[in-house]
């Protein structure tokens, strides 16, 4: 696999092969081998629940353990040490069938102790939607996050051939296709946990 350079990223964007909408400023958001992405205005956090653990097989909807918070443009979301939250990129993304993408935290955020993805930094070919950010504060101090702030970057890699069954294909279990807001885990839809 090869990582796309800024030259190829601009070319693919201009051709409509990659869609990132909206890009506020090409010169500031497009980096040498990535595109800086901004955080949206909706966050999800876990409520304090009197249960001993989350069971993926439990018929209770996991989203009932979470609450949503919508911020105005000038408001901040404070993430405290040890906390976890979901958010999405401000930008809507479409990945073609012959590329994969990765979300990486910006170094400036990492130096504050903020991670932007716990495990789901990989974006399949064919994905369309806003990218979910799995945010954790592993530092010692609370940190403010502002809607529209550049918090992560997306990197594109070529595949040897286009995917035969990309994300969103009718034969695939594409649980998060087209997401527009932070989505709670849909793990109970995994085939190995379902009892059909």
């Amino acid at each position: 696999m090869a990582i796309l350079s800024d030259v190829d990223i601009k070319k693919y964007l201009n051709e409509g092969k990659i869609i990132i909408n909206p890009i506020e400023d090409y010169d500031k958001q497009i980096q040498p081998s990535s595109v800086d992405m901004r955080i949206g205005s909706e966050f999800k956090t876990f409520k304090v629940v009197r249960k001993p653990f989350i069971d993926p097989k439990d018929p209770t909807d996991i989203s009932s353990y979470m609450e949503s918070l919508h911020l105005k443009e000038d408001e901040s979301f404070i993430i405290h040490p040890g906390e976890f939250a979901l958010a999405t990129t401000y930008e809507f993304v479409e990945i073609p069938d012959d590329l994969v993408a990765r979300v990486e935290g910006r170094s400036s955020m990492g130096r504050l102790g903020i991670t932007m993805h716990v495990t789901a930094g990989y974006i399949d070919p064919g994905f369309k939607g806003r990218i979910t950010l799995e945010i954790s504060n592993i530092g010692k101090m609370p940190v403010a996050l502002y809607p529209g702030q550049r918090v992560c970057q997306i990197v594109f890699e070529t595949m040897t051939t286009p995917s035969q069954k990309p994300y969103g294909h009718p034969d695939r279990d594409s649980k998060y296709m087209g997401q527009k807001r932070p989505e709670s885990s849909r793990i109970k839809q995994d085939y190995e946990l379902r009892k059909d």
Side-chain angles (χ1 to χ4, degrees):
M1 293 213 261
I3 294 174
L4 296 190
S5 70
D6 52 357
V7 173
D8 288 322
I9 290 170
K10 288 176 185 175
K11 178 182 173 211
Y12 282 32
L13 286 167
N14 290 333
E15 292 173 354
K17 186 170 180 177
I18 295 173
I19 294 173
I20 300 175
N21 188 31
I23 292 182
E24 185 176 53
D25 187 322
Y26 266 54
D27 292 330
K28 291 182 179 164
Q29 279 184 259
I30 297 177
Q31 301 299 321
S33 60
S34 65
V35 179
D36 283 346
M37 305 287 277
R38 297 168 289 164
I39 197 166
S41 59
E42 184 177 352
F43 293 78
K44 276 194 171 191
T45 58
F46 279 101
K47 302 175 192 175
V48 176
V49 180
R50 296 191 184 277
K51 290 193 85 159
F53 57 88
I54 295 173
D55 183 351
K57 288 186 174 185
D58 188 332
T60 305
D61 187 4
I62 292 174
S63 65
S64 69
Y65 301 146
M66 302 192 86
E67 57 189 351
S68 293
L69 177 65
H70 299 267
L71 300 180
K72 295 178 183 164
E73 191 173 326
D74 57 344
E75 289 183 307
S76 66
F77 176 81
I78 309 298
I79 186 156
H80 293 269
E83 280 190 332
F84 173 81
L86 296 176
T88 62
T89 56
Y90 180 76
E91 293 84 3
F92 184 91
V93 175
E94 291 189 30
I95 310 295
D97 296 351
D98 60 350
L99 293 179
V100 296
R102 285 184 287 118
V103 172
E104 300 290 347
R106 289 184 66 224
S107 174
S108 295
M109 298 305 299
R111 293 168 198 234
L112 299 175
I114 303 300
T115 65
M116 284 296 143
H117 66 83
V118 176
T119 61
Y122 184 84
I123 304 158
D124 282 311
F127 174 82
K128 297 176 186 175
R130 287 190 169 86
I131 299 166
T132 296
L133 303 174
E134 302 164 337
I135 306 166
S136 291
N137 183 343
I138 60 172
K140 299 281 188 188
M141 296 287 293
V143 177
L145 302 173
Y146 294 90
Q149 178 182 0
R150 291 178 302 131
V151 295
C152 61
Q153 55 195 329
I154 188 169
V155 176
F156 300 95
E157 296 181 62
T158 59
M159 295 173 49
T160 54
T161 62
S163 174
Q164 186 177 16
K165 292 182 181 179
Y167 200 79
H169 187 278
D171 292 343
R172 298 210 57 83
D173 184 19
S174 304
K175 299 185 289 265
Y176 305 105
M177 183 63 134
Q179 65 187 11
K180 296 178 181 168
R181 57 187 353 160
E183 297 290 344
S184 302
S185 174
R186 295 179 178 164
I187 194 168
K188 71 178 184 179
Q189 294 176 19
D190 285 0
Y191 71 87
E192 71 274 19
L193 298 177
R194 286 193 311 244
K195 293 181 180 177
D196 294 339

